[in-house]
Every structure is written in C-alpha cells, then in structure tokens.
Amino acid sequence: MKGESKSVYLETMGCQMNVLDSELVMGQLRAMGYAPTDDMTSANLVLFNTCSVRDHAEQKVLSRLGNLRKPKEERDDLVVGVIGCMAERDPDGIFSKMPHVDLVCGPSELNKIPALIEEVQDGRDRAVALSQSLSRKSTPVARALEYDSVEALDLARDPAPDENVLQSYIRVQRGCDKFCTFCVVPFTRGAERSRPASQIVDEAKMLADRGAKEITLLGQTVNSYIHQENGRAVPFADLLGRLNEVSGIERIRFVTSYPGDFTTDILEAMRDLPKVCEYLHLPVQSGSDPVLQRMRRQYSVSQYIELVDKARELVPGVELASDFIVGFCGETEEEHKASVALIGRCEFKSIFVFKYSERPATVADKRMADDIPDNVKRRRNQELLVAQEALATLANQQRIGQQVEVLVEGYSKAALKAQEAEQTRGEEVSWRRSDQLVGRTRSDQIVVFNGKAEHIGGFATVRIDAATALTLHGEIIVAIPGTPQSRRAPSRGASLPVLDSAS
Ligand code: SAH
Ligand code: F3S
C-alpha cells in the first residue's frame, strides 16, 4: 500500500485513558501514512479502542464488529483490529465470535500497533500483542524492559500541527493494584507504575509550546503517584508543584483520585499552587460500610466524609464529583438508602451512577452472587440520579448573579447542531443558537453563553443568569480572546466523553 493514501477509522470507548491512548495510536498511524476518517465503511483500517469495565461496553464492540463481517468479505485490503482493555481481557472470545478480526492489542502494548498492522499486511492470519510480560508474575528485569518499550508510546508523543491541544491529557501512572472486587482494570491494565516526573514535566512543556493551557493528569488512582528519582521519592504533591512551574499551562487537573490514599499534602498543594484547579473526582462507590467492605475499597464511609470535609475546609471553592455502583452483590434496600443519604451529605457537583455488571475473573465474580435483579438496579440507579439532580439544581441556582471565569472550549453541542443545519439547509438559524459557546470553570462547572469564534481558546468572565443541575447559562462580561493556535479546531472539550450512566 506504500505511496497510496490510506485511511483509518478509530473509535474510542470508555475512559479518558482510552481517549489519550487513541490520540497516541493515531500519532503512530499518521507516521505510517494513515489519514483519519469518520467513515467506517470506506476506511482501510478499522480499530476499536475498547472498554471492559461493564458488559454493555463489550457488547457494543461486538455489534460494531459484526457490522464489518460483510465489508471484510468484500475487501481484501481492509484490516480490522480490537485494541485496549477488551483485547487484553478476552482475545480468544473476540476471535471465536468474530473470526474476521485481524489484530488484537492490549492497552500496555499499543506501541506495537505499526508492527502488528504490517504483520497482517504481510499475510499473517492474526497478529496479537498482549501484556503477559507486564503481568505481576514476570521478573523485575523483564518488566523493566517491557515498561521502557511501552513508555516509548508516550515519549514519542508529537501532536499534528492541526491538532487541538488546548486541553490535553497526560498519563502519570499506568495500571492499578487495588483489586476492588468488582473491577476488571487491574487485570486489563496490569500493575500500578508511575512515570518519571521529569518525563511528565517535559511532556507538559512540549504541550504548552503547542498551545495547551489546561492539562489533566491521568491515573487510575492518580493521588497514589510516587516515583523514585535519584534515590528520592517524588510524591504526587511534588509532581503538582513541578508542573505548576510550566509556563503557558494555566490550569492543572487530575483524575481519578482514590479516597483511601488521599493525603493532606495534596489538599495543601491544591490550596497553595495557583494553577491546580479546585476540583476532585473522588469515587466513593457506596454509602454503606458493609458494601464498601464487600467491594474491598479500603476506607469507611466516615473516613470518606472526613476527607470531603477536610477538602472543603482546606481548598476554598472546591467542587467534588463521585462514582456510585448500584445493585452490587447483596446490596440491601437499607444499604442502598445509605448511598442516597451520602449524596445529601456530600453535595457533589455531579455523580456517575453505574448498575453493577459482573466482570469475569474478578473476586466478586468468583465468590459473590450477582443477585440484585436488573429492574431493582435500574430503580436504584434512578433514585440516586434524582437525589443528585435535586441538590445540584438547588446549588447551581444559588450561583445566579455570580461571575465566573471560564476557559472557552468551543461551540456548544446545540451550536454545532445548529451550524450543521444552517449548512445543510443553507438557511440561517434566526435565534443565533449557532453562536453558543461552552466553557468550564476551574471547579469543572460547565457554562454555556453566547460569544464569538475569537473567544474560543481564551478565558472569559461570565455572569450567570440561569442554571440547571449540570449546566450554568450566562453572558460574557469580559473576554481575553484565544490565540489563533488555540482556536485551530473544534475543541475536544466540547465533546469530552461522558461515562454512560445508563449502561
Ligand atoms: N479508578 C478508575 C476506575 C475505573 S472504572 C477511574 O475512575 O479512573 C470507572 C468507574 O466504573 C468506577 O469508579 C466504578 O464506579 C465503575 N465500575 C467499575 N467496575 C464496575 C462494574 N463491574 N460494574 C459497574 N460499574 C463499575
Ligand atoms: Fe478499579 Fe478499584 Fe483500581 S475501581 S481501577 S480496582 S481503584
């Protein structure tokens, strides 16, 4: 195929880590001469970057793959691959259900994608890279070698000139060692490893040079970041301190924090470092101690509440988000009500609620019964969302009249739709919804307001005049326009993946 134009359709499911992985894979593919396309049916290469956290996400991938059966029969040059967590978790299942899949690659092996594609093009039936060698059982030397190779993916990061890097993710940690009994991540992403602080800082500088203003540090338990440097440990608070010095970066966020390991020095860093935003994603999973014990979460409800109170005391204006699982094994009505009560106690900005989904190989799968009927899970899911919505609406309405500073991310979803309608019908939308912009406050509140293209990528002060549970609406008071560099493309921020709470 060398010399011809080649296209790739890459679809990403799941968490922010997958979004970053896809960005890095796309960088490798671009270097191989692939151009991205939105049209799955005409692409030469189709990749699904998959999520295994809930069964629903895996079923979606299987159904997409099913749709490729015919095109695959009709076109010799089409390469179909499954990458990410599902590839790692169940390669045999993928090949047996979907024999037309050509390549399978786990999330810790993504640097091997170019080689895998070439293997397939050279006639190999199936190309596979899984991270057996990164497993907890491998020798330290083997692990170190493999780790160097997987690090190469992040180290080679080189955003394309037309890529919008205004808000960028940076990986600071891989894997997870917590083994919560419901969770598949420790099996798919392997052991917890922190990246060297110097590499993370260099990556932030490179992104700042290309126009990044906000960085979000990614890790499964990001606050437990720790890396040995010249014989001395660099804990997470120190990493934040170093990143705060990177000029050009205005905002620093991090997700996801594990409540059990959250030390006060991180709250102090949030208070003292001007660029570190007042926002914490602190998944609690349940408001009941017996459920937390069955989940093996390693903290109690009262310890969680203590942490929330301390965060509010030390970090003025901090907003909190959380995750809940409903219908976990044996969850009684009383235990469920404890989650509703915790929502009332903590006043979260937003929550993600998930119906428990049994995952193969986890402790819950092996030793507990998934005994809560789906209709009960659904009702409990709804009850948590209703409790949250009432509180968040009330809290947001109290912001009416306040002025907030936002980083302007791009056009709102409604504006993009209206613009599309204008283009296809050739008519103007009279109510100017096509000028609606979206931005976020430091504490991660979404703010929608009317503005102009030149505001995108800059900061604006907005006066709030209406509010719902998830969105503030307002009017621009002052704006510092973005640079041409930061306005380059529709921002990713406007379409940040939201975990599917209905799954
Ligand atoms: N620390 C990670 C957790 C990854 S999974 C992070 O947030 O980055 C994200 C969320 O999915 C978890 O917080 C949990 O609420 C939910 N989840 C994980 N496993 C689940 C399962 N088996 N069923 C339902 N929800 C699950
Ligand atoms: Fe999963 Fe628990 Fe780690 S939710 S990612 S095992 S902290």
Side-chain angles (χ1 to χ4, degrees):
M1 294 269 325
K2 283 199 178 89
E4 293 168 45
S5 72
K6 302 178 281 187
S7 63
V8 51
Y9 174 86
L10 168 57
E11 188 172 332
T12 308
M13 282 120 187
C15 63
Q16 292 102 326
M17 199 66 103
N18 268 12
V19 174
L20 173 59
D21 281 340
S22 286
E23 190 180 319
L24 299 180
V25 166
M26 199 50 105
Q28 291 184 318
L29 297 175
R30 226 182 281 112
M32 290 178 81
Y34 282 97
T37 172
D38 290 339
D39 182 11
M40 180 162 90
T41 53
S42 68
N44 305 98
L45 170 65
V46 176
L47 293 177
F48 296 102
N49 191 3
T50 57
C51 171
S52 284
V53 165
R54 283 168 294 278
D55 184 54
H56 172 83
E58 293 199 349
Q59 295 307 325
K60 202 163 132 186
V61 173
L62 291 175
S63 121
R64 289 275 207 288
L65 286 170
N67 294 339
L68 284 168
R69 222 179 242 131
K70 247 185 110 209
K72 184 71 190 158
E73 274 167 22
E74 289 163 3
R75 283 175 37 209
D76 276 351
D77 67 318
L78 175 61
V79 177
V80 176
V82 180
I83 66 176
C85 287
M86 186 177 171
E88 185 67 44
R89 195 191 71 70
D90 191 21
D92 297 340
I94 295 170
F95 285 131
S96 72
K97 289 182 201 116
M98 299 289 154
H100 56 291
V101 168
D102 300 298
L103 80 84
V104 149
C105 181
S108 304
E109 303 291 306
L110 297 174
N111 58 316
K112 304 201 174 97
I113 294 250
L116 295 175
I117 294 170
E118 273 166 16
E119 275 181 39
V120 173
Q121 285 168 343
D122 288 347
R124 173 172 285 232
D125 196 20
R126 281 169 184 174
V128 178
L130 302 169
S131 70
Q132 314 300 359
S133 47
L134 268 178
S135 79
R136 293 171 174 80
K137 289 184 203 119
S138 65
T139 64
V141 173
R143 227 181 304 161
L145 286 174
E146 275 300 322
Y147 190 50
D148 282 351
S149 112
V150 73
E151 268 298 290
L153 184 73
D154 294 65
L155 286 173
R157 187 173 191 177
D158 183 20
D162 63 347
E163 203 167 309
N164 186 323
V165 295
L166 179 70
Q167 296 167 295
S168 291
Y169 293 135
I170 301 182
R171 188 185 337 262
V172 303
Q173 189 192 47
R174 293 173 186 278
C176 182
D177 284 345
K178 297 288 185 238
F179 285 96
C180 301
T181 56
F182 54 81
C183 186
V184 79
V185 173
F187 301 90
T188 60
R189 289 198 175 259
E192 180 186 314
R193 291 129 353 205
S194 294
R195 294 183 63 206
S198 55
Q199 285 178 14
I200 296 165
V201 172
D202 286 348
E203 200 169 320
K205 285 182 182 158
M206 179 276 289
L207 290 164
D209 286 346
R210 313 272 177 109
K213 290 193 177 160
E214 178 180 296
I215 52 171
T216 300
L217 312 179
L218 298 184
Q220 302 297 340
T221 58
V222 69
N223 52 311
S224 39
Y225 173 93
I226 185 150
H227 195 268
Q228 296 295 329
E229 188 178 78
N230 307 323
R232 278 188 43 217
V234 182
F236 189 60
D238 290 6
L239 177 67
L240 290 175
R242 290 201 202 175
L243 289 166
N244 192 65
E245 302 301 316
V246 177
S247 63
I249 299 298
E250 309 274 355
R251 289 179 171 189
I252 302 169
R253 303 185 186 283
F254 53 92
V255 286
T256 305
S257 297
Y258 182 73
D261 295 340
F262 210 101
T263 47
T264 308
D265 59 335
I266 302 175
L267 295 177
E268 287 164 352
M270 291 175 77
R271 177 194 63 196
D272 298 336
L273 299 170
K275 294 179 183 174
V276 179
C277 291
E278 296 77 18
Y279 171 69
L280 275 180
H281 186 181
L282 208 52
V284 66
Q285 313 299 0
S286 169
S288 148
D289 280 335
V291 176
L292 289 179
Q293 274 161 22
R294 295 203 289 280
M295 290 177 165
R296 207 192 274 157
R297 283 293 284 184
Q298 305 175 42
Y299 54 82
S300 65
V301 177
S302 62
Q303 283 167 333
Y304 185 86
I305 291 175
E306 211 176 290
L307 174 58
V308 165
D309 288 347
K310 206 194 292 171
R312 292 205 196 282
E313 181 194 320
L314 287 181
V315 189
V318 72
E319 292 287 348
L320 305 169
S322 198
D323 296 356
F324 284 84
I325 294 179
V326 291
F328 185 61
C329 308
E331 188 188 56
T332 63
E333 212 48 44
E334 198 187 331
E335 288 168 343
H336 162 63
K337 289 205 173 97
S339 290
V340 179
L342 190 70
I343 289 174
R345 173 65 174 81
C346 293
E347 297 180 16
F348 299 111
K349 171 187 83 75
S350 53
I351 59 169
F352 298 97
V353 186
F354 306 102
K355 290 188 295 171
Y356 172 59
S357 165
E358 190 171 67
R359 306 313 295 136
T362 58
V363 171
D365 170 45
K366 288 198 233 157
R367 302 207 199 128
M368 299 176 209
D370 178 13
D371 53 359
I372 308 300
D374 195 56
N375 61 339
V376 177
K377 287 181 184 170
R378 235 178 301 139
R379 170 182 51 81
R380 292 182 183 171
N381 188 327
Q382 203 48 31
E383 282 173 7
L384 292 199
L385 291 178
V386 166
Q388 170 62 21
E389 184 172 349
L391 285 166
T393 307
L394 212 66
N396 280 350
Q397 278 172 352
Q398 283 169 3
R399 294 170 198 276
I400 292 175
Q402 287 177 9
Q403 294 189 4
V404 295
E405 186 204 61
V406 298
L407 174 59
V408 186
E409 297 180 346
Y411 288 105
S412 72
K413 275 192 195 137
L416 292 173
K417 250 196 209 152
Q419 288 170 4
E420 213 177 272
E422 279 183 16
Q423 270 172 8
T424 50
R425 280 187 271 124
E427 62 192 46
E428 267 199 32
V429 177
S430 55
W431 34 286
R432 299 313 301 161
R433 190 165 248 213
S434 54
D435 289 336
Q436 202 181 60
L437 302 178
V438 64
R440 255 167 229 258
T441 65
R442 284 174 60 99
S443 58
D444 205 47
Q445 297 274 5
I446 297 169
V447 185
V448 167
F449 50 94
N450 276 4
K452 301 199 180 87
E454 68 244 37
H455 294 138
I456 297 173
F459 287 91
T461 302
V462 178
R463 195 193 55 235
I464 303 306
D465 52 31
T468 62
L470 288 176
T471 316
L472 304 171
H473 296 259
E475 229 177 273
I476 286 198
I477 306 291
V478 190
I480 308 164
T483 56
Q485 202 180 19
S486 59
R487 287 202 299 274
R488 249 180 326 227
S491 162
R492 184 179 65 200
S495 59
L496 271 184
V498 175
L499 290 172
D500 178 5
S501 65
S503 62

